[in-house]
Amino acid sequence: MNSLYKSNIYQKYRGLLISLIDVCIVFFAYIVAFLIQNNFLISGRVITLTKILGLGLFFLLALHFMVLRLFKTQMSLWTYTGPNEIIRTFFSCLVCFLIMSYFVLKVGLFNIELIALAELLCFVFLLGARMLYRLARRYIMDLERVENCLIIGAGNGGYLLMNEIYHNMAYPYNVVGFLDDFKKKGTMLSGKPVLGTISEVKKVCEEYNIRCIFITISSVSSERKQEILDLCTSTSVPTKIMRILVGNDASNHISFEDIDIKDLLNRPSIDLKIDEIGSYLTNKVVCVTGAGGSIGSELCRQIVHFNPSKLIMVDINENALYMLKQEFLVMKRKHQMNDSIQLESLIISIREREEIYKLMKSYKPDVVYHAAAHKHVPLMEDRPTEAIRNNIFGTKNVIDACCDCGISRFIMISTDKAVNPTNVMGATKRMTEMYMQSRNTNGKIHMAAVRFGNVLGSNGSVIPIFKEQIKNGGPVTVTHRDIKRYFMTIPEAAQLVLQAGFYANEREIFVLDMGKPVKIWNLADKMIRLAGLVPGRDIEIQEIGLRPGEKMFEELTLEMEKCHKTDNNLIFVHEKMNIDSNEVDAKLDELKRLMAQTDDKTYIKEVLMNMIQE
């Protein structure tokens, strides 16, 4: 059947075919009307097809053909027959009745009673054919629906979804019913019952062998939404959530997607002040180091929305940089990005001091976002000299070039691990903060650092690792049962960095509100359940012990207690600290000498940790 619908002949001549079927139905309706009016020919009379009768039949069929096409009944999809089709069919039959009545009075071939009865039957038979087709198609499709599903929310969203499920084999489910906190148990919606309240989801899933849950509730508080998500996740049944996307043409598109782990983090919404961000990005030359990384690439994606005159993307990873530029070129071809934005991709290592200076002098960027850094804690524990050369001296090169070349704004990406660091990576980041704060800029450049915690889905972060482990059948490995971390999505982090960039004045450190810390063990548990599996039964969670330099808890909350809020409730600020530049420079010289003398990573780490003590 689907092959017929997709055939070129059907697609091309569908309207004509439907019109001919409708004409046949009209002919049948008139035959039935004539039989009814003549008591089904009980008298045994013979109908003689005269020339005038033939012309009359031709006229009424041609009339119906034209009027039905005038009302576009042939364009409607029979599978979705509804009130609109009923109204159009009724008026088409009414128009035919009026025209036929006029000619009856003139010619007298038929009588008014026959015409009235025939048009009534036309209306019934035309709609009946469509409804029979709809029911037959639904019956055939229902034979393939072997998996039960449950809809959370017996409102408009639930009604729309159920109609979509039964008209679209992309959702081959049988809806057993709804759960709703405000509809009485037993209430029927489109023939399906409300089975109870949302808190009963686990019991209902077990009772009805549910294989998929759809969440269609949108108008609830974030706290209640979080409770609903947690209840559904606890069932280990694959769950999809309704999302409303606003398109470029302001039209809303409703889609159903799997619950993502970010849905379970209960993040506060971000209130961006677009005009403030645009004030320092629009028509400006903007440079992003580390543009091929998770944060750097997302910064670039966000920046192009503010129409800079030029975007300079700097990275040592040529593949990542190439793919990012190709992404933007595709956006230009699709007119999703201003075609006037110039794109520059430069393969440069931030360790190359002369090249960084050439970059700043040649392109003279107005704004520099510095996201280039080594970030993996265990790897930097093994190679502290690598972390120092890249994170500290590489960042020093960028800061010095920005200060010496008259760059007006510099924003550096830091980390929550720079707070009372216990690992090399965090210590190098803290040293770069100290170096930035020690520079005497005399207000010529707006400089700031932005601290935030772990970013969901970034390269090498815990989420992709857990997904791969679950895909491979486990086990999912967690360093410690009680370890906690702050999480933020990549777009959230990038947006807040852009907002913090507006507040940057003179060597402040901004701290982003990451919400509540998440227990990694619970995160692993939820991800396993999101995959439709049961932790401990289908996939094990194993505790493997803390890695070198890893802390049980990050201390972002303590930092926020020492800060004050900006105009954005999610951004806090440390005011600038008076750090002696000569003292910091002396420490960097000592580090350079130390790395030339020894590769003892334990000793190098010890010296670095002592240097950052405040």
Side-chain angles (χ1 to χ4, degrees), residues 208-232:
Y208 290 91
N209 192 28
I210 299 299
R211 289 290 175 262
C212 186
I213 300 172
F214 290 93
I215 300 176
T216 64
I217 298 175
S218 57
S219 57
V220 292
S221 65
S222 57
E223 292 80 8
R224 181 54 182 159
K225 180 182 177 182
Q226 189 67 28
E227 292 173 4
I228 294 171
L229 291 173
D230 288 338
L231 284 168
C232 293

Side-chain angles (χ1 to χ4, degrees), residues 27 40 130 191 212 253 443-444 468 473 500 550 555 585 609:
F27 180 73
F40 294 93
R130 286 157 170 76
C212 186
H253 171 65
K444 295 180 180 179
E468 188 65 23
E550 191 171 35
E555 300 171 88
D585 291 343
M609 290 297 182

Side-chain angles (χ1 to χ4, degrees), residues 131-165:
M131 295 303 297
L132 285 173
Y133 173 85
R134 176 176 174 175
L135 291 173
R137 180 174 171 82
R138 179 167 174 173
Y139 175 77
I140 294 171
M141 294 174 68
D142 287 352
L143 293 177
E144 302 178 27
R145 300 182 186 280
V146 294
E147 295 188 355
N148 292 338
C149 77
L150 182 67
I151 299 178
I152 306 295
N156 291 333
Y159 174 77
L160 290 172
L161 172 62
M162 202 181 86
N163 284 336
E164 179 66 18
I165 287 176

Side-chain angles (χ1 to χ4, degrees), residues 177-418:
F178 299 85
L179 293 183
D180 197 291
D181 291 334
F182 302 101
K183 302 289 192 305
K184 186 178 179 181
K185 186 174 181 179
T187 302
M188 303 295 286
L189 177 62
S190 286
K192 299 295 181 178
V194 174
L195 300 173
T197 61
I198 299 173
S199 60
E200 299 175 86
V201 61
K202 192 167 187 177
K203 183 186 76 173
V204 171
C205 286
E206 293 172 354
E207 183 179 348
Y208 290 91
N209 192 28
I210 299 299
R211 289 290 175 262
C212 186
I213 300 172
F214 290 93
I215 300 176
T216 64
I217 298 175
S218 57
S219 57
V220 292
S221 65
S222 57
E223 292 80 8
R224 181 54 182 159
K225 180 182 177 182
Q226 189 67 28
E227 292 173 4
I228 294 171
L229 291 173
D230 288 338
L231 284 168
C232 293
T233 306
S234 68
T235 64
S236 294
V237 175
T239 304
K240 297 181 182 293
I241 187 169
M242 180 175 70
R243 303 187 194 280
I244 301 177
L245 305 175
V246 179
N248 294 331
D249 58 355
S251 61
N252 291 344
H253 171 65
I254 297 177
S255 65
F256 287 87
E257 303 172 7
D258 292 336
I259 289 182
D260 198 346
I261 193 65
K262 66 186 179 184
D263 292 315
L264 304 174
L265 295 182
N266 196 21
R267 297 283 309 134
S269 60
I270 295 178
D271 179 25
L272 287 181
K273 294 180 171 58
I274 303 300
D275 55 336
E276 293 181 350
I277 299 173
S279 68
Y280 77 93
L281 290 181
T282 303
N283 297 324
K284 304 292 184 180
V285 178
V286 183
C287 174
V288 179
T289 70
S294 303
I295 296 298
S297 60
E298 185 60 28
L299 276 172
C300 293
R301 293 184 189 98
Q302 300 282 345
I303 288 167
V304 296
H305 292 307
F306 293 92
N307 296 322
S309 60
K310 181 180 291 185
L311 176 60
I312 307 165
M313 298 169 286
V314 177
D315 206 298
I316 195 60
N317 186 332
E318 61 169 331
N319 291 327
L321 205 56
Y322 175 80
M323 294 307 296
L324 182 62
K325 186 168 183 178
Q326 292 305 306
E327 179 184 330
F328 287 145
L329 292 177
V330 170
M331 289 175 63
K332 281 191 174 186
R333 287 195 291 270
K334 293 182 177 180
H335 305 291
Q336 297 171 348
M337 172 180 165
N338 195 321
D339 195 54
S340 66
I341 300 175
Q342 299 179 49
L343 300 172
E344 294 286 349
S345 299
L346 304 177
I347 307 297
I348 300 176
S349 169
I350 58 174
R351 298 183 187 187
E352 300 171 1
R353 186 174 179 86
E354 290 184 3
E355 294 301 318
I356 292 297
Y357 267 82
K358 286 180 185 177
L359 163 67
M360 300 303 172
K361 290 177 180 178
S362 300
Y363 290 94
K364 294 181 173 55
D366 299 288
V367 184
V368 173
Y369 291 98
H370 177 51
H374 289 323
K375 66 177 185 177
H376 293 292
V377 170
L379 294 179
M380 297 305 100
E381 290 298 301
D382 292 334
R383 291 283 293 161
T385 53
E386 181 70 18
I388 292 170
R389 288 191 183 99
N390 193 75
N391 291 5
I392 295 179
F393 288 103
T395 300
K396 178 180 183 298
N397 292 338
V398 178
I399 291 176
D400 290 347
C402 288
C403 291
D404 294 343
C405 299
I407 307 305
S408 60
R409 195 175 298 264
F410 170 83
I411 312 297
M412 180 178 75
I413 307 300
S414 189
T415 172
D416 56 355
K417 294 175 178 63

Side-chain angles (χ1 to χ4, degrees), residues 408-411 433 436-449 500-510 573-578:
S408 60
R409 195 175 298 264
F410 170 83
I411 312 297
E433 291 178 353
M436 180 200 71
Q437 291 191 314
S438 70
R439 298 304 92 187
N440 184 12
T441 60
N442 296 320
K444 295 180 180 179
I445 178 173
H446 299 281
M447 298 183 73
F502 173 79
Y503 301 136
N505 186 28
E506 193 172 357
R507 296 167 289 161
E508 302 92 346
I509 295 177
F510 292 95
V573 60
H574 268 298
E575 295 301 341
K576 65 176 182 178
M577 299 175 63
N578 293 319

Side-chain angles (χ1 to χ4, degrees), residues 75 99 117 199 237 291 326 332 400 443 472 487 538 560 590:
M75 301 303 293
I99 295 174
L117 178 60
S199 60
V237 175
Q326 292 305 306
K332 281 191 174 186
D400 290 347
N472 294 331
F487 286 99
D538 302 317
M560 285 189 287
E590 183 182 347

